[in-house]
Amino acid sequence: MTRFDESTITFPYTRSLGPVMGAFMTGLTEKRILGIRADAGVLVPPMEWDPATGAELAHDFVEVGPAGTVESWTWVPSPSEQHLLDHPFAFAFIRLDGASTPLLHAVDAGSPDAIADGARVAPRWKGTRLGRIDDIACFVLGEAPEMDGEEATEPADDGVQMMDYIASITYRNPVPASVDRAIEASKDNRLLGMKCPACERVYSGGKGNCPIDALELGPQHEVDLPEVGTITNFTIVTPVPYPGQTETEPFVRAFVLLDGTDVILSYQPVIELPAADVRVGQRVSAVWASPAEEIDGGAGGMGGAYGNLLGWIPNGEPDIDDPDLVNRIF
């Protein structure tokens, strides 16, 4: 059975809303829904540019709704954690009274039998509003707006100008059996590679196939790789704040060409080597985690497919003087 490795990347963003979206978001904090006049009518949400002509629109805002009519909808029987509601609901195109375009939002209808094209809906406002589209918790059936909690928002003197939000994406990748075997070998301080019986090239990582001959490589093709190599290229990373960031100082990720092979281990950490002292041609040796430091699971920390490989440390050997080394990144 194939094993999968899951990882999530999360980044916070702060964006300037500008005069149009800023006005729209400010209106939401005041329980007002704004559109903007265009040749085609009133656009909701408002846009800076006419979608038909591309011309910049005058800031002629129009309050619409708050009630509107469902034009089309789809039922969500099993909401995810990213949805606005934690129970079944409808996503609907709602044409608010006075608007020429529909607004997409959630409708808390109770059941799919309770909603239909042409149904009248009104917003359920959050008590605390921040200037986001989810200041409208959802829409409800009927003509009268509702409140979700007690009124708690104080109007901002200068309106809503900035928006903070978090972008997150989760990857779920299959882990080849060859990677699992390499991780196990790393617990014995071994770098494991594979040698193709046809072209006799030696590879590390990958999906367990020779990229030249398309042959599947199994345990019988595995070889131990040298634990000494040469830095061919590197990058210095300056940390930026994000959720879970633990690095505070610039650090290096280096490409290491293993002795006597064409194997390049990419983006490797360096140990006891300040960023300012890293150079192409530098000779390095592998540093392994002790049994007490054993790296847990996944593809094995920053060592890539070599789970217990902590990184590379200068070994005191003379540098390799080869101008072509800088081009060896694969």
Side-chain angles (χ1 to χ4, degrees), residues 14-40:
T14 299
R15 61 163 290 189
S16 171
L17 294 174
V20 175
M21 290 308 298
F24 177 71
M25 296 302 180
T26 299
L28 294 179
T29 67
E30 301 165 349
K31 295 186 291 185
R32 300 165 60 233
I33 305 174
L34 298 182
I36 195 168
R37 293 191 191 279
D39 288 342

Side-chain angles (χ1 to χ4, degrees), residues 231-234 273 275-283 317 319:
I231 292 177
T232 69
N233 216 312
F234 64 91
L273 182 55
D277 296 339
V278 180
R279 57 191 180 272
V280 173
Q282 200 163 17
R283 298 284 290 158
E317 296 179 4
D319 287 5

